[in-house]
Amino acid sequence: MKVCHIVWGLEVGGIETMLVNIANGQVQRGHSVNVLVINDMESSQIVSGFAPEVNIIRLRRHPGSKCPMPVFRLNFELMKLRADVVHFHGINQPRLVLAPLRKHSVTTLHTICHEEDIRYLSTNQQIAAISNNVASDLQQRTGRTSTVVLNGIDCSKISQRDDRPFSHPLRMVQVGRLNHTVKGQDIIIRALTEVDDAAIDFIGDGPSRAELEQLARQLNVADRVRFLGSRTQAEVFSLLPQYDLLLQPSRIEGFGLTVAEAMAARVPVAVSDLDPLVEVVDGGKCGHIFTADAPHSAADCIRRIDAEGIDHSMVVEAERRVKSLYSIQSTIISYDGLYQCL
């Protein structure tokens, strides 16, 4: 089967990382895989992760440009490819493609559907939601049904934390794009003012880095906050076992890929109470939960986890849950089944 994935860019992020894993897995299953990149945005870390067999087509559109030429070329490339399936990774992408070329297409909804994108739903032939909560939200707000295809990770590549007790100070980590309006990194920094025996490493980069660094200095916790910058997926997988706790304080979230990765690494996790994150930790059975956008609640959660020590039964159950529900192999098989129905 010839598959063409369409993505806005290839910068470091959850969508892009997931696309690498899906594309490589599809190649292994014998598919001919193309990735058509609309905007001139890419990271060598992401691009280098694709298998050599994955064909990357770059339109090099300037983000936000009104020039019609990239749109013309998008349709031209799709006509040339004659793909069996066009797989969009943005709810507003199909509007750029002529109707006959998106007849056999699926769109992955990677997060809660934004209000401004609802008007584009009619141009999407089939929608795949990355979590039950994303699917439920879409149906409740728009009446549109979708097929749930859970995000997956390759657990075989993730190193695991041993059974050692917590460090002092508690070694915490947050992995994700430094965009605090979405991922909420500022909440952790503020929580540190109420927690003495803990330090945080941020793995990732993004537009909020300078603001977050300044906030840490203003709140006098800069000596307990480190910004490690972007890391490859392999590097993240090897680093995770060094930590005692992964925090995900998101304000907006569709799934929580890094949470699942930490669970597979047997690293305890604590997440904000957004429905998609609560879904990943099975309502608290596989991780700790604190109130979203509430530094005091996050601080209370950190102190409680540190005082109680590691819950070995929880981390074992968390690993089992990830392996049973969130494997990349299951994700790829589910997409194959969806493709056959288009």
Side-chain angles (χ1 to χ4, degrees), residues 117-135:
D117 290 334
I118 289 177
R119 55 182 168 160
Y120 301 124
L121 283 174
S122 61
T123 63
N124 290 264
Q125 302 299 309
Q126 174 68 269
I127 297 177
I130 64 170
S131 71
N132 290 295
N133 279 286
V134 168

Side-chain angles (χ1 to χ4, degrees), residues 9-201:
L10 289 177
E11 293 184 308
V12 176
I15 294 174
E16 295 80 7
T17 299
M18 179 56 55
L19 177 57
V20 170
N21 293 335
I22 291 171
N24 291 348
Q26 289 174 336
V27 164
Q28 292 176 0
R29 289 177 65 83
H31 297 313
S32 173
V33 181
N34 303 270
V35 175
L36 205 158
V37 188
I38 297 176
N39 289 331
D40 191 14
M41 304 185 305
E42 69 176 54
S43 163
S44 59
Q45 288 184 20
I46 293 295
V47 174
S48 64
F50 284 107
E53 297 85 353
V54 176
N55 179 39
I56 301 177
I57 304 169
R58 298 170 174 87
L59 300 185
R60 301 194 184 282
R61 169 183 177 265
H62 182 73
S65 170
K66 303 297 183 183
C67 177
M69 288 306 298
V71 177
F72 292 152
R73 189 181 167 204
L74 168 63
N75 286 273
F76 178 68
E77 294 290 349
L78 287 174
M79 284 189 284
K80 283 200 307 180
L81 282 173
R82 297 181 178 272
D84 299 300
V85 175
V86 177
H87 192 151
F88 296 102
H89 292 272
I91 203 77
N92 56 357
Q93 291 171 353
R95 65 190 171 92
L96 303 176
V97 175
L98 296 171
L101 297 175
R102 50 180 159 86
K103 183 177 180 181
H104 301 288
S105 67
V106 60
T107 302
T108 295
L109 188 55
H110 288 274
T111 188
I112 300 298
C113 187
H114 299 299
E115 288 295 331
E116 62 267 26
D117 290 334
I118 289 177
R119 55 182 168 160
Y120 301 124
L121 283 174
S122 61
T123 63
N124 290 264
Q125 302 299 309
Q126 174 68 269
I127 297 177
I130 64 170
S131 71
N132 290 295
N133 279 286
V134 168
S136 176
D137 175 81
L138 180 68
Q139 184 166 25
Q140 289 176 8
R141 291 197 292 131
T142 70
R144 183 72 183 265
T145 59
S146 58
T147 301
V148 176
V149 179
L150 297 173
N151 271 351
I153 58 178
D154 189 346
C155 295
S156 67
K157 295 182 179 179
I158 300 179
S159 304
Q160 290 189 327
R161 187 183 190 278
D162 58 32
D163 292 335
R164 68 186 186 279
F166 287 151
S167 308
H168 294 285
L170 191 71
R171 296 195 64 192
M172 306 186 301
V173 65
Q174 193 274 334
V175 183
R177 183 166 170 76
L178 296 184
N179 183 352
H180 72 280
T181 61
V182 175
K183 297 299 183 181
Q185 290 94 348
D186 60 305
I187 295 167
I188 303 176
I189 294 174
R190 295 183 188 280
L192 279 182
T193 64
E194 303 180 37
V195 181
D196 294 328
D197 196 25
I200 181 77
D201 285 351

Side-chain angles (χ1 to χ4, degrees), residues 270-286:
V271 303
S272 61
D273 60 357
L274 301 185
D275 287 343
L277 294 176
V278 173
E279 178 182 336
V280 173
V281 300
D282 197 16
K285 295 178 183 177
C286 298

Side-chain angles (χ1 to χ4, degrees), residues 211-273:
E211 186 174 348
L212 292 168
E213 289 176 334
Q214 182 179 15
L215 179 64
R217 290 192 295 269
Q218 288 176 343
L219 297 178
N220 297 316
V221 294
D223 59 329
R224 292 188 285 136
V225 178
R226 294 198 304 171
F227 294 88
L228 304 187
S230 294
R231 292 289 188 272
T232 65
Q233 187 177 68
E235 289 172 330
V236 171
F237 288 172
S238 65
L239 285 171
L240 279 175
Q242 300 177 14
Y243 294 96
D244 303 310
L245 177 66
L246 178 131
L247 290 169
Q248 192 60 44
S250 300
R251 291 183 167 97
I252 303 170
E253 196 61 77
F255 176 70
L257 188 67
T258 58
V259 176
E261 291 170 349
M263 290 163 62
R266 290 196 174 188
V267 175
V269 300
V271 303
S272 61
D273 60 357

